[in-house]
Each structure stands twice: as C-alpha cells, then as structure tokens.
Amino acid sequence: MSTQSPARKVTITTLQKMKRDGERFAMMTAYDYCQSVTANKAGVEVMLVGDSLGMVIQGHDSSLPVTVEDIAYHVRCVRRGNSRGMIMADMPFMSYFNEVTTLENAAVLMREGAHMVKLEGAAWLGKSTKLLARHGIPVCAHMGLTPQSVNHLGGYRVQGRDPEQAEKIIAEAKQLQDHGACVILLECVPTELGKAVTDALDIPVIGIGAGPHTDGQVLVWHDLLGLYPGKPAKFVKNFLEGNPRGILGAVSDYVQAVKDGSFPAPEHCYD
Ligand code: KIV
C-alpha cells in the first residue's frame, strides 16, 4: 500500500491562496478523457471545457454554434479523467440571456461535473454573477476579447489599448468582483492592463494574451501542441515542437513555464 497521500484537489480556495502567495497556476482547455488524464498528470490546476471546442473539435469558424448540450457532453468526458483538477465549463453563446436560462443552464453543467462556470462579458454580467453566486455556483467572468461577441467586435482584436477603454475594463472587473465573481479571465489585452487588473483585484486573474503578470495562464490544448491549422495567434506557444518527451512532456513544460514565469515571453504579449 502506498504511504503517499493523494494530491489535494484544487478548489477555488486553492486558487485564492496561490494568488495571495504569489504562486502562478496553469489552466488549459480539455475536451475529452485522455486530455483530462494528461492535464492531471502534468499538474494543470484548472481544465476549461471551453466553447473553443466549436472550432478545434467541431470545425466551425467561431464558437457561436456551440450548445449547452455540447459543453455538457465534454464536461462528462473530462470529469471521468479528472483526479485533482478544477473543471471550469463555458456557458456558450446565448445560454445566459435571462435569469432563468442562466440558472438552468449553469445547473446542467454543474450537475455534469463542472466546479465553476465561465460567462463572457463585462459589468452587465453582474446580475448573473450575483444570482449564480447566491445559488452556490462559482463564476469566472471572461473579459477583454470575448469571442462570443466577435461579430460585434469586428474581429478577434486586442482590447483595452486606448486609456479610456483600459480604465473601463479595470473598473468593470472590480464591479464583477463586488458582484461575486470568483475569477476573472482576461483575453488579448496589453501587458500593462493585464497587470493593472491583476493588481486591482483580490480574486485570481487568468490571462490569455494578457501578459506575464496575471495570476494564472490559459492556453487551448490544440494551440499548445500546434495542432490547429492556420497561423497561430501571437500569444500562442507550441510546446510540442522539438520536444523529445512527447505530449505529456509538452504539457508539463507548459505548466512549468507558467509557474516559473517564462511563459508568456515578450514575443507572446501585446503592448
Ligand atoms: O473557449 C475557450 O477555450 C476559451 C479560452 C480561449 C480562454 O474561452
């Protein structure tokens, strides 16, 4: 019999403590059992069942066609491979347009095994955040570049470059914290803004294309391994290329690079 105690499960309390202690955490997307097992072996703290699955699994040109049923199916797959990580589930496009749909759809994902849900938006999410928190559902608010609004934004563009927009993002992130958001995810913003939001909040901030100063980093599985066709975004690093230790080695190197602060490097950041 092993005398080693099993690694402790990651919870929202773990992430809060890591932020307080200045320890970085690693998140990556996972959509199936094997990805989940690999992420756990590599020490990934949070697995995101992201609506990016619309693009990387289903082959759509955006995340808009993804349904709650799609996310629920992949949460079930990921849950079966999970031993210690925290599972975050995306609330897909138009699945949180009023109080009833928000609660019902979040409940579906939590029952399937998610530990937290993620919604895209800004201060207007405050009502949903409060409502979900009141019902015991932790919320991550995804700000900055919000891919579900790609048509409104006019493309996948860096957000918060002008000082007024940057101030607005900082103020709205604080409002969401006050409305019970447990985590903020910040996508595609200048490094300086990523730092300002992280410093302004008590809750953990996860970045993707938001510079090296956020409390955690996230990458899409297919980007991390160079599997998605086409030109990768600036914030992507392929950890598999030239890696003699294969997929597990690549994911482990990503985790290590997040923790020691070597990823993202300046060439992955926006100014
Ligand atoms: O759906 C997803 O994978 C995401 C990441 C880009 C953060 O939201």
Side-chain angles (χ1 to χ4, degrees):
M1 202 172 79
S2 166
T3 52
Q4 272 187 331
S5 57
R8 286 180 82 148
K9 288 201 190 318
V10 178
T11 66
I12 186 62
T13 315
T14 317
L15 303 184
Q16 286 158 353
K17 182 173 183 318
M18 289 178 86
K19 174 167 182 132
R20 280 198 307 276
D21 295 348
E23 240 185 275
R24 302 260 153 79
F25 59 88
M27 165 162 145
M28 65 183 288
T29 63
Y31 316 98
D32 69 25
Y33 171 79
C34 288
Q35 291 168 343
S36 179
V37 169
T38 304
N40 272 273
K41 276 191 187 157
V44 168
E45 274 91 3
V46 187
M47 288 179 293
L48 169 65
V49 181
D51 59 3
S52 52
L53 71 85
M55 297 169 88
V56 300
I57 303 283
Q58 297 173 336
H60 296 295
D61 64 359
S62 79
S63 57
L64 271 61
V66 175
T67 64
V68 173
E69 289 69 31
D70 291 334
I71 300 282
Y73 168 79
H74 288 281
V75 168
R76 279 200 292 283
C77 300
V78 167
R79 188 196 61 196
R80 292 187 197 114
N82 185 37
S83 46
R84 130 176 215 275
M86 192 166 181
I87 301 175
M88 185 188 291
D90 252 339
M91 300 273 292
F93 179 61
M94 292 304 282
S95 67
Y96 42 100
F97 65 83
N98 67 23
E99 290 191 10
V100 176
T101 48
T102 303
L103 277 180
E104 282 180 352
N105 289 325
V108 168
L109 301 177
M110 297 298 283
R111 284 195 191 105
E112 295 294 1
H115 303 114
M116 176 180 279
V117 295
K118 174 163 82 61
L119 284 69
E120 292 185 11
W124 61 268
L125 286 178
K127 220 169 150 189
S128 315
T129 308
K130 220 173 183 170
L131 183 69
L132 290 165
R134 234 182 25 229
H135 287 81
I137 301 178
V139 176
C140 170
H142 182 154
M143 302 180 72
L145 170 58
T146 47
Q148 289 171 17
S149 308
V150 61
N151 295 302
H152 194 248
L153 296 172
Y156 298 100
R157 298 163 189 278
V158 179
Q159 303 294 306
R161 269 195 167 132
D162 91 70
E164 236 174 75
Q165 203 197 9
E167 281 309 318
K168 191 163 183 269
I169 290 175
I170 298 168
E172 298 201 9
K174 282 191 199 160
Q175 280 177 44
L176 286 169
Q177 172 176 269
D178 293 343
H179 281 85
C182 291
V183 174
I184 298 289
L185 189 147
L186 211 46
E187 177 165 354
C188 276
V189 298
T191 294
E192 204 183 314
L193 178 55
K195 180 169 179 355
V197 173
T198 307
D199 291 348
L201 300 186
D202 297 323
I203 58 175
V205 176
I206 302 169
I208 176 163
H213 305 293
T214 55
D215 305 301
Q217 297 287 335
V218 55
L219 275 184
V220 168
W221 170 274
H222 297 69
D223 286 340
L224 196 154
L225 301 177
L227 299 175
Y228 193 66
K231 187 172 179 283
K234 182 177 165 76
F235 58 75
V236 167
K237 177 171 174 180
N238 177 349
F239 283 84
L240 184 59
E241 197 172 20
N243 194 318
R245 289 157 40 248
I247 290 176
L248 179 58
V251 178
S252 303
D253 286 354
Y254 162 66
V255 172
Q256 185 53 41
V258 169
K259 290 188 180 295
D260 67 23
S262 57
F263 178 78
E267 68 266 27
H268 307 120
C269 301
Y270 300 102
D271 45 32

